[in-house]
Amino acid sequence: MKVKINRNAAKVLKQMLKDQAEEGKMFRVIITHMHGDHAHYDLVIDSPTEHDEVVKTDKDIDIIVDKREKFLDGVWIQYFYVPKEEFVITNPSKEGHGHHHHH
């Protein structure tokens, strides 16, 4: 499984974990709902289970994904400060129509 994350998202997620004081917890990318050829994603704080893969990113933060869900392979977690502060989670490798989820 692959997960990409931009520098801003890694910084914000690390701070959120620190603020929550959640020892041993990580962020999980979940699918909130599907629309045929694309999915909507969200982030939650969680612990890995037997069906998960902990993906090490190049930004020194680990992300949990359910390895049974093909739409999670290749997700891209981004955080933008403008035009407003928000997470944008997409999967360019699975979604041909440019759909994405703002968190």
Side-chain angles (χ1 to χ4, degrees), residues 28-93:
R28 171 189 298 276
V29 177
I30 62 169
I31 295 174
T32 57
H33 57 277
M34 300 281 294
H35 291 286
D37 65 345
H38 75 278
H40 291 250
Y41 305 94
D42 206 348
L43 289 165
V44 295
I45 295 176
D46 203 0
S47 297
T49 67
E50 65 181 278
H51 300 292
D52 296 328
E53 181 175 334
V54 176
V55 179
K56 297 198 178 301
T57 69
D58 64 346
K59 303 293 187 289
D60 195 32
I61 188 164
D62 298 339
I63 303 294
I64 305 168
V65 291
D66 185 331
K67 58 189 172 192
R68 300 169 297 179
E69 182 49 68
K70 68 176 185 161
F71 269 79
L72 292 174
D73 187 22
V75 292
W76 188 11
I77 304 166
Q78 300 173 85
Y79 189 84
F80 297 102
Y81 291 98
V82 290
K84 63 181 182 177
E85 291 190 26
E86 67 181 340
F87 282 100
V88 176
I89 306 170
T90 59
N91 191 333
S93 68

Side-chain angles (χ1 to χ4, degrees), residues 2-19:
K2 295 179 182 174
V3 174
K4 284 179 57 177
I5 187 167
N6 74 359
R7 193 172 25 245
N8 292 341
K11 179 181 173 184
V12 171
L13 292 178
K14 286 177 192 177
Q15 187 61 49
M16 288 171 72
L17 283 176
K18 184 178 174 184
D19 291 347

